[in-house]
Structure formats: structure tokens, C-alpha cells
Amino acid sequence: MNEIAVVKSELEIRFPDAVRKDDREGFQGYIVEKESLVEVATALRDDFGYDYLTSVTGVDYIEEDILEAVYHFYRSTGGKELVLHVQTPRNNPVIPSLYKIFHGVDFQEREAWDLIGIKFEGHPDLRRILLWEGFNGHPLQKDWKEAFYVEEKKPFDNRWPEGKIQQIEELNKFGKNVRYPENFHDPESWKPEHEDLLYAGLLDLAEKTGSGLETDHVVINMGPQHPSTHGVFRMAVVVDGETITALKPVMGYLHRNHEKIGERNTYIQNIPYTDRLDYISSLSNNFGYAMAVEKLLGYTNEIPERAEYLRVIMAELTRISNHLWAIGFLLNDLGAYFTPSLYAIQERELILDIFEEVTGARMMNNYHRFGGVAKDILPDAMKKIENLVLDRLPRKVDELDKYLTKSELLQSRTEGVGVLTPEDAINMCAVGPVLRASGVPYDVRRADPYSIYDRFDFDVAVRYHGDTYDRYLIRMDEIHQSLRILQQALKDIPEGPILLRNPYNIKAPKGEAYGRVEGPKGELGFYIVSDGTSNPYRYHVRSPSFINLTGLEKMCVGQKVADVVVILGSIDIILGEVDR
Amino acid sequence: MAEKNKITVPDELKSTVAVTDIQEVFDGNLIEKAYNWGRRNSVWPMFFGLACCAIEMISTAASRFDLSRFGMEVMRPSPRQSDLLIISGTVTKKMLPAIVRLYNQMPEPKYVIAMGACASGGGPFKEGYNVIAGIDKYLPVDVYVPGCPPTPQALLFGLMKLQEKIDNQKISETSWYDKENAGDPIPIPVLGPDIMDPKDFDKIRKQAKG
């Protein structure tokens, strides 16, 4: 009996009434009674070592009339997942919050409340997160229909009635993408119920952390249009003089409804959408999604050898280009206006050239397929990759290293700024470079190896101070490690087929699957539930940027206003992935 | 001026060099020409990225494609200092009030480029419940740049088209020096149960009754 099986049977023995095996077809893990969820989760963390709760997903099973929350637990020392399902009736969907045990569920529970409508009892700040207060309904419930609703599932039959294209605008009363509740008649005096909760909560926090002196707190809104928020991110900051006393991230300004659209799409139609999640590392997103669907389909061990190598080569090139970009723009945030990032972008452009040659697009690569990849790397492009990996990139990265790493200005602005302790990092489900810079050597490529990463010789980069400087250094380290992997992959890549079988029109068997990869920003997971048709029943993205932001407040409180920008830059968020 | 003394400007310099002669002064075109020549070569875009297209916009500004060849490298983070709003990505309902506000704050003459499929018409996310299917439903758009995302070359072409547009504008016909017809600010949409355009308030009331 392996280790996980031992834990599972012990769990059943310890909580005989509360925990039962999930025996639905294709499902794994346990169904936990909601009354004892907190107790079971505490035991998992303290006694079984599952101290790393990475993903919380809400699912609407409308036919069974239940809403379900799915929890994916891991050990921070590595290993496979343990999945808990908690069910609640649809007419009164309440589940106890795990906020007190795992701070990392903060945003994820708010997201499940916002989009699915599960109330998490005991969550201190259960507001909408991606949409705004007052929005009508919970859009990921299966009976909620968008304004441009056509049919449940693609491909739509009505797109060509009698050979004539029908514009979706013609079907809408207002001719645009809006729909109002039927009894809504007073737009002028509209005032949503909880609109001022954000500021009320913020000032409340500021009071608690105040020094006791009667001082005025000022609320500053940074963003959504701000040159250093890396997109349309907004932070509501309370300052006491120059010092930050409270901070709340506000997001959703780029919420593009990936999940609702993804559940209408067929499986293959979702691949180009994953490109647009973390839009500067598209190939990693493709990878994660393809892996999750392959798990459903049972392809995992049949992927052709060459395809696996191509996937790894492209993923590692993506990581390098992402980290170059992140470093360049971190320096931008520090005030080294555009000079370092111009050097970084120069190298990134060369990597993009390779992507363009291989996949046909600079950014939106749409490259992975279920069971392989779409196109082979031709000898010409291979030559370019070799030149880049063996010669140019090591030189150029050393050059960046030489001018930046020991720079006194960089050090004095970043050392000791925005510290995240390892305990906090694990508790807040931080992933990727943010987690590893805090001294936790957790890398999905090693902790739960996927694809062919177990064949390569590389180190998990880890740094121990948890400050902004270490988060900068760790990206440098990871570029070096990626170059190592690439050098081995380029040497060993075999000839052969690149695709298992035709990936179009697949029907996935019933069940659930969670595929995760170590993207450049951290663990990127896709949770998919299939009902046996050619469209996913539930499609959820566990995005690293989004959940890494949980730690932002902790890192920023007590720092100066000018450092907030730098700390945010060091987390390296991409808004397409934060808001999805 | 005699024919043999006529100055010929090489094609690649035509956009940056203005050649004029005394005849144009008599015709009254000189001011127009100088005015447009100055404006077309110093368009300051707003430093404002929305989504994926913003990355390509930054790449365009970087050394390989080099926006400064067009006099456009001075990206201003403040709308008060910028002439051009590049809508670089998907416009969501939650973001729309902020964008309309930014546009209203820009001084005339101002231009809008809808960069990419999303800004032009909703793109792949058109059916989304939080997505505006094209910024042109709210702001006047001067140039549409297709692509998802448009390559830097495509954006540069879009900017050159904008320069052409500027070249052909006449001071006597533009609205921004005209006291009577100077445009009103665009009404700012409100986040209700769904996004509400103040222009649609009547329709919303009607739908509730009927």
C-alpha cells in the first residue's frame, strides 16, 4: 500500500461519519460532510502533513441540485494530491470557510462566492472579487445565461440559418452585451447594497494597526490605470504618512469570463483561450490544459517521445522569456526607467522569433494538442534554438547579472523589503518563485514530476530571505536552470511522431481531472469535470498570479508607499491570469 | 520657383521633412501644413495597457520596432498630457467607466486606436458576460488595428494610418477650436446589475414596464 493510500484509509478510520469515499464515476478523493470540514482540514494539516491547500473550486451540479466545493491538498514536501469534495444544497449553499486554517483560500473562496454563489461561513471579508457589488446573479451557475446567450454548447447550430449569418446583437433588446433583471426600473437612483464595504473594511484595518496617536489615515487608490500596476490592477492603500497600514487588492478589471466561455466550448476550442490567460507565457498554459485533458482521456503515458521533448523545450524557453520580462519590469518599477527592460526585451524578441517560426505566432501560440503538439521544430529553427541556448543567452544573462545583481541601488531598494516568511508562504498557498524565494524548495517539476522532467538533471532554485531581492535572484537562478534543462533536451531529443492521434472531436469519459504544471509564475492548474460529452462540464483555472496576490497585504504593511510598486513587481503578476 | 530648383525629398524622409514654398503662403496652406506636420510627428500615446495587446504595444515601443521613429515614444501615464488613447486589449464592463473617464480627461485634439480584435469588436471574448463588444460602442474610434494580438508591424501601420488622418485634417473644419460645436464629454456608464449607459436609461425603464 503506498503512502497516499495509507493516509486515505486512516482518514476514513478517524472520521467514519464525516468522510466517505467519492464513488462517482471517474472521481477521486473523499466527500466530506460540511459540518466537519474544518475539523478534517485541521487534521490533514497538522497530523497528516497536507499543509498546502493549493486550489479551491466551486462546481454547480444542477441535476443533483447541489453546489460543490473541491479542495486540492498537497504536502509542501512533495507528492500527489488529496482531494476533498464538500457538497451543499443549491437553495441554501453554505460551507464553512477554511480561512482560519489556510489563509490562501481567501481569494479563492471569494471567487467561488462571486461566480458560483457558495457562501463561506466565517470568511471575514466575503465580497465579490471579479465582478462588482450589485451584479445580477452568480454567472457560473448552470442556469445563469449571459446577454449574448445562444445555446448551451458549441458548435452552435443557429450560426447559419438558411445560409445567412445572424448577428448576435440582433437578438438582444439593447443591441449590445447587456441584460437587466425584469423588475429593474430605476437606473438613476441605483445604489448597490455593499458598495462601501471595501473602504469600511480598510479603515477598520487601519484603526487596528494604528499607533494609538490620533492621526489621519488617507486612502489612496492605485490603479486600475496606473503605469506600474502591470495592467489594470487596483490597490486600495491606507497610508499613515508614507507608511502603509492596510492594503486591499481590487481586481476583476480584466475578467474575461474564461470559465463560462470555456464551458460552452469544446475541449479543443479552449486551447487558444488558455493562451490568453498568462499572455506572456502562453506555451506553459497550453501545456497545463493539455495535461489536464489528457488525464481525463487516459493518454498520459502514451504521448510520443518527441512531443514530450518539444513540450519541454518550448516550456523552458517560455520560462526564460517570462523571467527576462519580469526582471526588466521589476527594474522599471524601481525607477531604472526602461533601460534594463529594453535589454531584456531584446533577448525576449529572439525567443519570440523562434516561437513564430515554430508555432506561427509570436505570443498566442496555440501549440499543444491532446496527445502531442501541433507542429514540429524544423532543423532550421532547431539550429536557432541551439545558437540561442548554447551561446547567446548564457552570455546575455551573465551580462544582466553583472550589471544588476551587485548594483548597490538595486540592493538597497530591495533587500529586506516585502518579506514573506516560509510559514506564511505555505499558509497563503504562494507558488512558484514567490514560494521558493521564501525558502521552500517546492517546484512541481520535482515535487510531482510530470511529462519527462524526471529525466533531466537540474536543481530547484531556492533562496532564503523571502524579500524582493531574493525574488529577483530566484528568477536569475531559474533562467540558468532552464538553460541547463534545454541543453540536455536539445542533446537527447529523438526523432519520431509528434501527435498520438487526431485531437479533434474528442469525447472525454465521465470524471474529474486536475492537471498542474510549474509555469513561470508558479503552479498553474486546470480542474476539469467531464460529463461524457465533447464539452467540459466545469473548467476552472487555478492561476498562480491570482493566488500569489493573497500575500501582497502581508508583504506591504509597514513598508513605504514607493516600495509597494516594487513588491508588486516582484510577485510578477499578469492580469489576464489574475482576473481570467 | 523655377522647375529646376525644386527640392525633391526622398520618399523615406517625406513624413519628417516639410517642404514648402512661397506659393503655399499665398494660398494660405502653410499654417495648416506646419500645424499638421508638427502634430503628426509628436503624437504622445497614453501609457495605458489593458490586456495581451499591451505587451505587443510595449514591444513596439522597445528597441527592435522603435516607436520613437514616429515621434511617439513619449508615452504619458497621465491622460492630461496625451493625444492618443490606444485601447490595447479587452474592455470589460468593470473597466469601462474608468476608460471613458480617461478619455474625457484627454485634451483635444485626441485620437483613439482600437488595437486588436477585442477592442474592435469583442474578439474571442465577445460572448462573455463582463465584456464590451468593441470600444466603439462608447468612444469614437479613429483607427482599427486587426489581429489577436496585432503584431508590432500591424500597430505601426495603424499609427501611420493615423498620421495620414492627421495630415488631412483642416483647422477650419476641426471641431476642437469651434466654440459652439466642441464636443460634450461622453456620459460615464454606471455599474448596475449590468453596465448601464446613461443614454439607455429610458430603454431600461421601458423594458421594466413592458
Side-chain angles (χ1 to χ4, degrees), chain A residues 1 19 168 226 299 343 413 423:
Chain A
M1 210 193 275
V19 174
I168 184 76
H226 189 280
Y299 286 1
Y343 281 93
R413 276 300 300 278
E423 294 78 23

Side-chain angles (χ1 to χ4, degrees), chain B residues 61-77:
Chain B
S63 46
R64 188 188 228 178
F65 298 99
D66 198 7
L67 209 49
S68 49
R69 291 179 295 157
F70 299 84
M72 295 178 185
E73 81 280 19
V74 198
M75 287 203 166
R76 308 312 298 186

Side-chain angles (χ1 to χ4, degrees), chain A residues 7 54 130 184 189 210 237 247 266 274 295 317-318 326 388 482:
Chain A
V7 170
T54 61
L130 296 179
F184 180 70
S189 57
V237 184
L247 180 148
T266 61
T274 61
K295 265 191 187 172
L317 281 174
T318 307
L388 204 58
S482 288

Side-chain angles (χ1 to χ4, degrees), chain A residues 290 294 299 302-304 307 311 369-373 498-501 503:
Chain A
E294 279 159 10
Y299 286 1
E302 304 173 47
I303 317 283
R311 283 178 171 191
R369 295 289 179 273
F370 312 128
V373 293
I498 55 162
L499 196 56
L500 184 62
R501 56 178 72 98

Side-chain angles (χ1 to χ4, degrees), chain A residues 131-132 136 154 169 176-177 179-180 184-185 188 190 225 251 253 255-257 273 276 349 353 362, chain B residues 48 56 64 77 90 92-94 124 126-131 148 191-195 200 205 208:
Chain A
L131 295 161
W132 59 90
N136 179 35
K154 283 181 191 168
E169 278 90 349
K176 50 186 160 186
N177 192 0
R179 205 194 46 182
Y180 307 97
F184 180 70
H185 55 80
E188 270 102 342
W190 161 264
Q225 192 264 334
M251 40 201 136
Y253 293 96
H255 178 45
R256 302 192 277 194
N257 331 124
Y273 282 90
R276 288 155 181 83
E349 285 287 339
D353 278 353
R362 278 160 56 85
Chain B
F48 171 53
E56 285 297 54
R64 188 188 228 178
T90 317
T92 62
K93 290 176 183 172
K94 200 171 177 179
K126 181 175 176 179
E127 64 202 272
Y129 50 84
N130 191 25
V131 173
C148 188
L191 290 172
D194 207 327
I195 191 91
D200 285 346
R205 264 189 295 264

